[in-house]
Amino acid sequence: MNSYYQTGLKNLMDKAIINKTMELQNVDPNLEQAITKYEKIDEIPFDFNRRRMSVVVKGKSDQIVIITKGAVEEVISICKDVEINNEVLEFDEELLYKVYQQVKDLNSQGMRVIAVARKKFTENITEFEVKEESDMTLIGFLAFLDPPKQSSAKAIEALMDHGVEVKVLTGDNKEVTENMCKSLNIKSDKIFTGEDIEGLSDKELEEVVRKNNIFAKLSPANKVKIVEILKKNDNIVGFMGDGINDAASLEAADVGISVSNAVDIAKESADVILLEKDLLVLEDGVIQGRKIYANMLKYIKITASSNFGNVFSILFAAIFLPFLPIHPMHLLMLNMIYDISCISFPWDNVDESFIKEPRRWDSETIPGFMMKFGPISSIFDIVTYLALYFIICPMLTNGVLFHNLTDPAMQELYIAAFHTGCFIESMLSQTLVIHMLRTSKVPFKESWPSKELLTLNLLGIFFVLLIPDTSIGRIFEFEPLPLLYFGILIIIILLYLVLISYVKRSYLKTHDEIL
């Protein structure tokens, strides 16, 4: 009757009780009449302070009865006697011990226990308040198993292996919580209850939350306070819950996680809703999130440092050269080809060592990375400018340097060859340095890029090398270069990659990761 007549959210227990009663009401002589034949008089809703709820019904004999169910301690606290084998006995110490011992035995088996009590009224009362929940008779317990999912232990172990600390915040009592945590191998110096932490100062609670992983018999406010303490101590907090009492904590956490069969308010409060019943999807989420973060950071840092170096190179060339080192249209094309070759970054492989530890977005490392690696490319850009100006381009103008040329056609040829050489060198240096800076390890020996990244990078290089000899190259005023240029280019690129490797080792002495 309590489950059937309550107007609040019916949980799985309520639904199971109602369904079974409906199934048995025609065959079980103990069910004198269908529960639907009673008249509901009133209801005292559940709240997290009382931890119980009551309904008031009137039977066929006009007998008014209040029926209460809820947490064991809270229900027993309003009972004066107990019904055993149809005999009502007044509570004494021995009987109270026996009742609690039975609850303890059930809890030790991992069962959650709900107490049920009732009180009959002789007078005709029409309005009921919380004070009517008194002098009641304990009539029994509902004991049920709510075992963790089979994947829970593996999921928790996997999260811990990836640096995610797991804490249990539950409204269940200590015994049930302890039994469940043992089965999941979650350890804690001590199990704290909501009553324990309510008497602590914020500083004391910070220490308790830092050292302990299991908290039982918590109210929604207790859960929120613990989440906020964890966030205050510079933790990124994910909270997983599916009940009404989890809604506030889901809102308070950095990432709220719920499941598809959770109550509506929990799903509305969550940032992520799991559609699979396998909790190992949490590990997948953590790993994929870290991979996305790593690959995003690779692109930002490597591209920013390359562009930073290019700015230095162009500024230097603008001071000493009588023409632009690269045409603006060529620069736009170069960036387009480079960015297309970087489209595959999201699919790049990420070192296991990077995935093992939690990562936090830190934009402050980007300027330092740029200052460390950007100017290195400028050194070799300048070497390329010198080689083009004094060696390669004069090969096309009969050995005459640009400042001695008087023929406009020869000047245009000189500039076109210079632009072509800068275009090819910029693309090769920008693309190949990706593979030096995408990992803290030795590239192609200890850490391989994904086939998607490698393929697009090689296609980008091939296209840039090929384009000066095509009709597209003529449209963009590129000029085919002698073989000597490519010999010099190989030496320049190799020296550039060697110096980058040396600077990377130096960088890793003061930083845990290249990223």
Side-chain angles (χ1 to χ4, degrees):
M1 285 188 279
N2 181 291
S3 296
Y4 183 81
Y5 285 110
Q6 65 163 305
T7 56
L9 182 72
K10 289 178 170 58
N11 58 35
L12 293 177
M13 275 292 293
D14 293 317
K15 292 176 182 178
I17 290 167
I18 294 168
N19 291 341
K20 194 64 178 179
T21 303
M22 295 300 185
E23 178 186 324
L24 296 176
Q25 65 183 5
N26 295 324
V27 296
D28 190 340
N30 293 319
L31 296 173
E32 295 180 359
Q33 57 182 2
I35 56 173
T36 54
K37 298 293 180 64
Y38 285 80
E39 178 188 354
K40 179 180 176 182
I41 304 297
D42 206 348
E43 177 178 354
I44 306 174
F46 178 88
D47 67 60
F48 291 102
N49 292 321
R50 290 167 38 251
R51 291 165 60 86
R52 59 181 183 262
M53 67 84 53
S54 301
V55 296
V56 184
V57 296
K58 181 189 289 187
K60 60 182 179 180
S61 60
D62 290 337
Q63 175 75 64
I64 295 176
V65 181
I66 180 170
I67 304 162
T68 302
K69 77 165 186 278
V72 171
E73 292 84 351
E74 282 71 10
V75 171
I76 291 179
S77 69
I78 57 172
C79 292
K80 69 171 183 177
D81 45 39
V82 56
E83 183 178 309
I84 303 176
N85 297 326
N86 297 320
E87 183 181 359
V88 177
L89 304 174
E90 190 171 343
F91 267 126
D92 56 25
E93 288 187 11
E94 182 180 350
L95 196 54
L96 197 59
Y97 174 81
K98 182 178 179 181
V99 166
Y100 274 117
Q101 189 61 45
Q102 183 167 359
V103 173
K104 188 175 181 181
D105 290 344
L106 292 168
N107 288 158
S108 66
Q109 299 173 47
M111 291 190 177
R112 298 183 182 184
V113 180
I114 294 174
V116 183
R118 71 179 172 197
K119 182 169 72 171
K120 298 177 181 179
F121 292 88
T122 54
E123 68 273 21
N124 189 17
I125 302 177
T126 56
E127 292 185 4
F128 291 83
E129 299 176 358
V130 173
K131 66 180 181 179
E132 306 300 338
E133 294 178 335
S134 61
D135 296 332
M136 301 190 74
T137 300
L138 179 68
I139 59 173
F141 300 121
L142 293 170
F144 60 99
L145 281 172
D146 186 11
K149 295 182 183 295
Q150 291 183 350
S151 59
S152 297
K154 289 183 179 179
I156 290 170
E157 183 181 358
L159 289 172
M160 289 180 173
D161 285 343
H162 286 87
V164 179
E165 191 173 355
V166 178
K167 295 183 183 289
V168 176
L169 280 59
T170 178
D172 291 335
N173 64 35
K174 288 177 69 172
E175 290 77 14
V176 171
T177 303
E178 184 177 17
N179 184 282
M180 181 195 69
C181 290
K182 278 183 180 178
S183 69
L184 298 175
N185 199 29
I186 300 175
K187 298 176 182 178
S188 181
D189 293 339
K190 181 182 176 182
I191 298 178
F192 282 81
T193 65
E195 187 177 346
D196 294 331
I197 67 174
E198 282 175 358
L200 300 177
S201 65
D202 286 350
K203 191 172 183 180
E204 290 171 330
L205 183 56
E206 283 182 21
E207 188 68 13
V208 166
V209 171
R210 185 177 66 84
K211 289 185 176 180
N212 296 274
N213 296 325
I214 306 174
F215 300 85
K217 207 174 181 182
L218 299 179
S219 68
N222 295 147
K223 292 181 181 181
V224 171
K225 191 170 186 179
I226 292 174
V227 169
E228 290 176 344
I229 287 287
L230 287 167
K231 290 176 65 177
K232 182 181 176 183
N233 289 342
D234 206 30
N235 295 291
I236 300 298
V237 182
F239 185 91
M240 185 173 181
D242 60 1
I244 297 174
N245 56 347
D246 295 319
S249 300
L250 289 165
E251 287 277 6
D254 293 296
V255 181
I257 306 169
S258 195
V259 292
S260 57
N261 60 348
V263 299
D264 288 343
I265 191 171
K267 290 190 285 188
E268 290 171 5
S269 302
D271 302 295
V272 178
I273 298 175
L274 305 183
L275 301 180
E276 296 183 17
K277 293 184 178 180
D278 188 351
L279 290 180
L280 287 170
V281 72
L282 292 173
E283 180 200 17
D284 293 338
V286 168
I287 292 172
Q288 293 304 320
R290 291 178 187 176
K291 284 183 177 180
I292 290 168
Y293 168 72
N295 288 328
M296 178 177 64
L297 209 56
K298 287 177 193 176
Y299 176 78
I300 292 172
K301 284 190 170 183
I302 294 171
T303 304
S305 63
S306 294
N307 289 342
F308 184 61
N310 289 340
V311 170
F312 266 123
S313 305
I314 292 172
L315 284 175
F316 176 85
I319 294 172
F320 295 101
L321 288 176
F323 51 81
L324 290 175
I326 189 167
H327 195 281
M329 184 60 69
H330 299 162
L331 197 59
L332 290 172
M333 178 185 279
L334 178 68
N335 284 336
M336 182 186 73
I337 297 170
Y338 173 78
D339 284 337
I340 289 173
S341 72
C342 290
I343 286 175
S344 56
F345 252 123
W347 292 274
D348 188 26
N349 299 328
V350 179
D351 295 339
E352 191 66 29
S353 59
F354 190 91
I355 296 174
K356 276 290 183 182
E357 297 295 329
R359 304 289 168 181
R360 187 189 295 266
W361 171 253
D362 185 6
S363 59
E364 294 180 1
T365 62
I366 296 176
F369 189 94
M370 289 169 53
M371 295 295 294
K372 192 81 172 179
F373 295 100
I376 298 174
S377 66
S378 295
I379 296 172
F380 294 93
D381 287 343
I382 292 168
V383 172
T384 303
Y385 296 161
L386 294 172
L388 286 167
Y389 192 86
F390 291 104
I391 300 174
I392 304 302
C393 293
M395 292 177 66
L396 303 176
T397 57
N398 300 316
V400 181
L401 296 176
F402 182 84
H403 57 273
N404 293 323
L405 291 172
T406 56
D407 183 356
M410 296 299 282
Q411 288 179 340
E412 288 182 10
L413 176 63
Y414 199 102
I415 294 172
F418 196 98
H419 286 171
T420 305
C422 289
F423 179 80
I424 294 173
E425 185 271 339
S426 294
M427 181 62 188
L428 265 64
S429 61
Q430 272 190 290
T431 302
L432 293 176
V433 80
I434 288 173
H435 300 277
M436 305 302 296
L437 298 181
R438 57 167 289 278
T439 174
S440 299
K441 299 181 179 180
V442 179
F444 299 105
K445 181 181 179 182
E446 298 176 340
S447 176
W448 271 84
S450 67
K451 60 182 180 181
E452 294 87 356
L453 180 64
L454 186 59
T455 300
L456 277 182
N457 283 175
L458 291 175
L459 286 174
I461 291 173
F462 178 76
F463 180 74
V464 166
L465 291 172
L466 191 64
I467 195 172
D469 296 307
T470 64
S471 56
I472 297 176
R474 287 189 288 275
I475 293 172
F476 285 93
E477 299 179 353
F478 285 126
E479 184 67 29
L481 299 174
L483 288 176
L484 179 62
Y485 166 78
F486 295 99
I488 294 173
L489 178 64
I490 290 172
I491 295 172
I492 289 173
I493 294 297
L494 287 175
L495 290 174
Y496 173 47
L497 298 180
V498 168
L499 184 56
I500 282 287
S501 296
Y502 176 80
V503 175
K504 184 172 83 170
R505 284 200 298 270
S506 172
Y507 185 86
L508 288 171
K509 289 179 180 178
T510 55
H511 298 76
D512 294 334
E513 291 279 352
I514 193 71
L515 299 180

